[in-house]
């Protein structure tokens, strides 16, 4: 395996009496996709929120590009190039694609004494990135987000992260509210951006979405890492058993242990 | 870009108003009447721009009517005390902006709804206006130059159009540019459209709200100065203009829930309500009809806007 771009070493995190993560380590190689799977409450969200700078771990280290880093806030993480796409928190429905794409980082040019939005550049850039990511249903960046499908929204978030120079993209349940067809498209986008050198971590409940794109699969169970598999070495029934029970003992013998 | 034209309701309202009142009275369709409409619209419309911009960022200011009155009174008192005109106007605008900022600080710091904050300051500044005047209006017999510049002068002696409309136009251009053409404008839409998303992506949403509260206060004060200039008199009695300003903004397509609205819509909404007011007077209807009528218009327009929105949503391909 190549040297990892982003690495979490021995991370523990406790919320009150709940041990959300217990000595978990993951390593994301450059240009690869890591899928984080596990049941509800397994600790997936806590782990990615630590990598996104939302939570700070109680113990453990985070390494990024061969350096130990401290991710004190989402802004700090973003500045390093770690971008998180939250499904429900990414876009403003009442605004156009172009205005969303650049929200908080709008390009401007000076006209006399005032600094004026460079709307032409906003539209041009947003449209070219949407084309590049392979989304054909949108030809204009003028459209309001509320008129778009869930898959199109994901595509815009991913394109935006690409444009702003993300090195690592973390996707929180990117396919959970999508139709089968749309989920497939979003998986294509993920494969696409990793082919361009981006590294991605994504969380999902749906194992059938994992196998086509993940290079590494990490299984969490009650805050512990119970399995790690490279592409092609994973036996679906083993992973399923790990997710549900945290071990690979067949169900009929599990009671005897 | 049909789905972005939420000003349509106001355009329909203006068209219907003009058709009906011209049918009732031919004199309605004249430049003189239109000048009168613009004169009435100028003061409410200046408040509406501030209120509308604030509404786009997801907040309300119910105290604009009280701020309007209190600012006009303070301006009148300063001028009567022979304070230099420019200094008086600047002081009053600064004070009005601070009144707005205070609303913002209370709202943002305590996280209580601005509806409540500004309901409180509505009463507070109304009380202050009554206290400093003892309940009596402030009037000027002879027009001062500054009052002429603010609102009293007209392009020709008999004209119903006052210079206050020009100040309204200046404010409209400034805030149209701000909302549509600047980075800050994009932040305003983001803040009102989905506060948490805007915050997560790095928009300083609290600062946006504070600035918009300040703008709203400042424009309410400016409107007070314009009316003092035009009428040369101001009464400390409650004006009720806050509801007219919100109504104008809503008729112009500004969303009550934030994130949606344009300065063009705010202008058209104000003109729609002002033309109804002038039309009813021209038709000889008692003035209370206006109040009742405005209520109906608001409901009808918001229903039209909502239905249009649903239609567009089902049409999307």
């Amino acid at each position: 395996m190549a040297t990892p771009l982003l690495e979490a070493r021995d991370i523990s995190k406790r919320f009150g009496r709940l041990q959300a993560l217990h000595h978990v380590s993951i390593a994301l190689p450059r240009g690869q996709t890591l899928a984080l799977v596990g049941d509800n409450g397994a600790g997936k969200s806590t782990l990615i929120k630590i990598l996104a700078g939302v939570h700070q771990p109680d113990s453990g280290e985070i390494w990024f590009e061969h350096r130990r880093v401290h991710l004190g806030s989402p802004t700090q993480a973003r500045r390093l190039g770690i971008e998180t796409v939250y499904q429900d928190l990414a876009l403003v429905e009442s605004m156009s694609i172009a205005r969303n794409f650049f929200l908080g980082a709008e390009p401007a040019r000076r006209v006399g004494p005032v600094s004026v939005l460079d709307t032409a550049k906003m539209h041009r850039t947003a449209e070219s990135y949407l084309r590049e990511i392979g989304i054909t249903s949108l030809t204009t960046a003028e459209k309001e987000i509320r008129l778009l499908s869930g898959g199109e929204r994901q595509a815009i978030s991913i394109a935006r992260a690409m444009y702003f120079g993300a090195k690592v993209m973390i996707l929180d349940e990117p396919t959970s509210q999508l139709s089968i067809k749309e989920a497939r498209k979003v998986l294509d986008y993920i494969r696409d951006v990793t082919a361009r050198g981006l590294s991605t971590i994504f969380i999902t409940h749906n194992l059938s979405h994992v196998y086509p794109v993940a290079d590494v699969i990490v299984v969490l169970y009650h805050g512990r890492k119970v399995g790690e598999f490279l592409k092609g070495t994973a036996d679906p029934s083993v992973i399923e058993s790990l997710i549900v029970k945290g071990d690979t003992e067949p169900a009929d013998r599990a009671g005897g242990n | 870009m049909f789905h972005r034209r939420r000003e349509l309701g106001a355009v329909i309202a203006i068209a219907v108003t003009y058709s009906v009142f011209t049918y009732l009275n031919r004199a309605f369709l004249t430049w003189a009447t239109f000048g009168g409409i613009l004169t009435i619209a100028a003061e409410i419309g200046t408040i509406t721009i501030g209120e509308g911009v604030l509404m786009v960022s997801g907040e309300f200011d119910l105290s604009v009517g009280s701020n309007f009155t209190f600012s006009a009174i303070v301006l009148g008192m300063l001028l009567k005390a022979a304070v230099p005109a420019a200094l008086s106007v600047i002081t009053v605008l600064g004070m009005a902006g601070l009144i707005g900022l205070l609303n913002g600080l209370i709202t943002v710091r305590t996280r209580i709804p601005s509806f409540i904050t500004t309901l409180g300051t509505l009463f507070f500044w109304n009380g202050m206006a009554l206290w400093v005047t003892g309940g009596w209006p402030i009037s000027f017999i002879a027009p001062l130059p500054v009052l002429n510049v603010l609102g009293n002068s007209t392009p020709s002696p008999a004209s119903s159009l006052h210079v206050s409309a020009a100040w309204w136009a200046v404010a409209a251009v400034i805030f149209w540019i701000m909302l549509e053409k600047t980075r800050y404008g994009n932040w305003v839409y983001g803040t009102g459209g989905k506060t948490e998303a805007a915050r997560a992506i790095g928009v300083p949403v609290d600062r946006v709200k504070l600035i918009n509260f300040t703008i709203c206060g400042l424009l309410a004060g400016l409107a007070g100065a314009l009316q003092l200039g035009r009428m040369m008199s101001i009464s400390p009695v409650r004006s009720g203009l806050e509801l007219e300003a919100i109504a104008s903004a809503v008729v112009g397509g500004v969303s009550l829930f934030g994130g949606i609205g344009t300065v063009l819509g705010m202008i058209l909404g104000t003109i729609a309500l002002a033309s109804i007011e002038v039309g009813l007077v021209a038709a000889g209807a008692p003035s209370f009809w206006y109040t009742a009528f405005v209520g109906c218009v608001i409901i009808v327009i918001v229903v039209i806007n909502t239905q249009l929105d649903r239609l567009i949503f089902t049409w999307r391909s």
Side-chain angles (χ1 to χ4, degrees):
Chain A
M1 199 196 292
T3 42
L5 174 65
L6 176 65
E7 207 182 344
R9 292 185 190 163
D10 211 23
I11 300 284
S12 293
K13 177 73 181 176
R14 175 185 280 280
F15 294 107
R17 290 176 57 197
L18 175 78
Q19 187 73 44
L21 291 173
H22 199 81
H23 300 291
V24 172
S25 299
I26 61 167
L28 174 66
R30 197 180 289 273
Q32 297 206 0
T33 300
L34 184 149
L36 211 49
V37 299
D39 210 348
N40 284 336
K44 302 174 307 235
S45 292
T46 307
L47 184 56
I48 64 152
K49 280 186 175 149
I50 285 171
L51 294 175
V54 177
H55 296 318
Q56 280 67 50
D58 298 333
S59 65
E61 298 173 359
I62 296 167
W63 289 69
F64 183 65
E65 296 185 315
H66 313 297
R67 281 184 315 150
R68 189 174 171 189
V69 292
H70 171 72
L71 303 174
S73 73
T75 321
Q76 259 178 341
R78 193 175 300 135
R79 226 172 269 148
L80 287 173
I82 304 171
E83 191 81 28
T84 311
V85 177
Y86 298 103
Q87 171 146 26
D88 52 341
L89 207 65
L91 301 164
V92 182
E93 281 85 357
S94 53
M95 292 168 80
S96 71
I97 296 169
R99 277 178 172 266
N100 261 287
F101 198 94
F102 288 98
L103 185 58
E106 299 83 353
R109 60 196 160 83
R110 287 207 85 76
V111 176
V114 276
S115 166
V116 174
L117 272 188
D118 194 343
T119 33
K121 182 182 175 186
M122 287 166 69
H123 281 90
R124 213 170 45 233
T125 312
E127 281 158 17
S128 83
Y129 266 79
L130 289 176
R131 260 198 312 276
E132 206 169 317
I133 203 170
I135 185 160
T136 46
S137 54
L138 297 173
T139 48
T140 163
E142 192 93 27
K143 237 180 173 180
E144 280 173 39
I145 299 297
R146 68 196 178 96
L147 302 173
L148 308 184
S149 70
E152 290 170 330
R153 293 179 197 206
Q154 287 291 339
I156 291 162
S157 300
I158 294 170
R160 177 167 70 180
M162 262 172 74
Y163 174 77
F164 285 106
K167 294 169 185 163
V168 174
M169 189 152 44
I170 302 173
L171 298 130
D172 188 5
E173 297 275 4
T175 57
S176 71
Q177 284 168 38
L178 304 182
S179 67
I180 293 173
K181 204 173 130 195
E182 284 221 310
R184 198 166 297 152
K185 273 193 198 153
V186 169
L187 296 175
D188 279 344
Y189 304 145
I190 294 174
R191 210 171 4 217
D192 235 55
V193 293
T194 30
R196 286 160 193 276
L198 240 88
S199 314
T200 51
I201 298 179
F202 80 102
I203 287 189
T204 181
H205 274 96
N206 193 332
L207 278 177
S208 68
H209 291 166
V210 170
Y211 304 120
V213 290
D215 300 298
V216 185
I217 301 169
V218 170
V219 188
L220 294 182
Y221 180 81
H222 286 311
R224 290 165 198 272
K225 185 165 90 174
V226 292
E228 180 163 5
F229 305 88
L230 294 181
K231 193 182 187 82
T233 68
D235 174 354
S237 70
V238 168
I239 291 183
E240 225 152 298
S241 164
L242 283 172
I243 290 173
V244 177
K245 300 185 292 155
D247 60 41
T248 52
E249 295 292 313
D252 53 348
R253 272 171 40 197
N257 289 348
Chain B
M1 304 317 104
F2 178 55
H3 59 267
R4 286 158 54 94
R5 292 280 73 96
R6 286 174 230 261
E7 300 89 352
L8 197 62
V11 173
I12 294 171
I14 293 172
V16 171
T17 308
Y18 258 83
S19 311
V20 170
F21 288 118
T22 305
Y23 174 75
L24 292 175
N25 181 353
R26 277 294 151 82
F28 191 74
L29 194 65
T30 58
W31 286 113
T33 307
F34 188 62
I37 289 169
L38 287 183
T39 299
I40 288 183
E43 289 141 22
I44 302 169
T46 303
I47 304 177
T48 304
I49 291 171
E51 186 76 68
V53 167
L54 181 62
M55 283 168 74
V56 173
S57 61
E59 300 288 349
F60 279 101
D61 186 349
L62 292 177
S63 71
V64 285
S66 298
N67 188 348
F68 165 93
T69 305
F70 186 69
S71 297
I73 284 167
V74 172
L75 179 60
M77 292 171 86
L78 289 175
L79 293 174
K80 280 194 183 291
V83 177
L87 181 63
S88 303
V89 173
I90 290 168
T91 305
V92 164
L93 294 184
M95 181 198 73
L98 285 176
I99 289 175
L101 178 61
L102 180 68
N103 287 329
L105 285 172
I106 298 172
T107 306
V108 168
R109 291 276 158 82
T110 64
R111 309 261 162 222
I112 57 176
S114 51
F115 185 85
I116 302 299
T117 317
T118 58
L119 187 63
T121 52
L122 178 159
F123 286 112
F124 179 79
W125 295 109
N126 184 220
M128 294 301 279
L130 291 165
W131 178 57
V132 297
T133 56
W136 295 96
I138 289 183
S139 303
F140 291 84
I141 311 299
L144 298 173
V146 60
L147 297 180
N148 286 337
V149 170
L150 285 169
N152 202 22
S153 50
T154 53
S156 67
S159 171
S160 54
L161 182 66
H162 283 250
V163 69
S164 46
W167 291 112
W168 179 36
V170 170
V173 170
I174 290 173
F175 290 101
W176 174 75
I177 291 173
M178 187 195 84
L179 217 45
E180 300 289 328
K181 303 289 173 194
T182 69
R183 301 185 60 197
Y184 181 76
N186 212 38
W187 298 358
V188 173
Y189 284 111
T191 299
K194 200 162 165 190
T195 311
E196 289 319 311
R199 200 198 302 272
I201 207 139
V203 174
V205 293
D206 285 347
R207 191 163 16 120
V208 167
K209 289 184 176 185
L210 290 180
I211 290 171
N212 282 2
F213 269 110
T214 309
I215 289 170
C216 185
L218 186 129
L219 288 181
L222 174 63
L226 298 184
Q227 189 169 81
L228 181 72
R230 177 169 70 92
M231 313 247 264
M232 297 199 301
S233 168
I234 184 79
S235 157
V237 175
R238 257 205 68 200
S239 64
L241 285 178
E242 57 282 339
L243 296 181
E244 273 191 66
I246 292 172
S248 301
V250 168
V251 167
V254 178
S255 166
L256 285 168
F257 308 106
I260 296 167
T262 62
V263 171
L264 178 64
M266 296 164 204
I267 291 167
L268 292 173
T270 311
I271 291 178
L273 293 194
S275 49
I276 293 169
E277 184 175 357
V278 170
L280 286 170
V281 172
S287 65
F288 52 76
W289 276 41
Y290 167 68
T291 316
F293 214 81
V294 165
C296 304
V297 170
I298 293 170
I299 293 172
V300 169
I301 299 239
V302 172
V303 168
I304 290 175
N305 276 347
T306 318
Q307 292 302 323
L308 272 177
D309 237 43
R310 281 205 196 118
L311 267 181
I312 290 157
F313 211 84
T314 49
W315 281 344
R316 79 185 171 90
S317 47

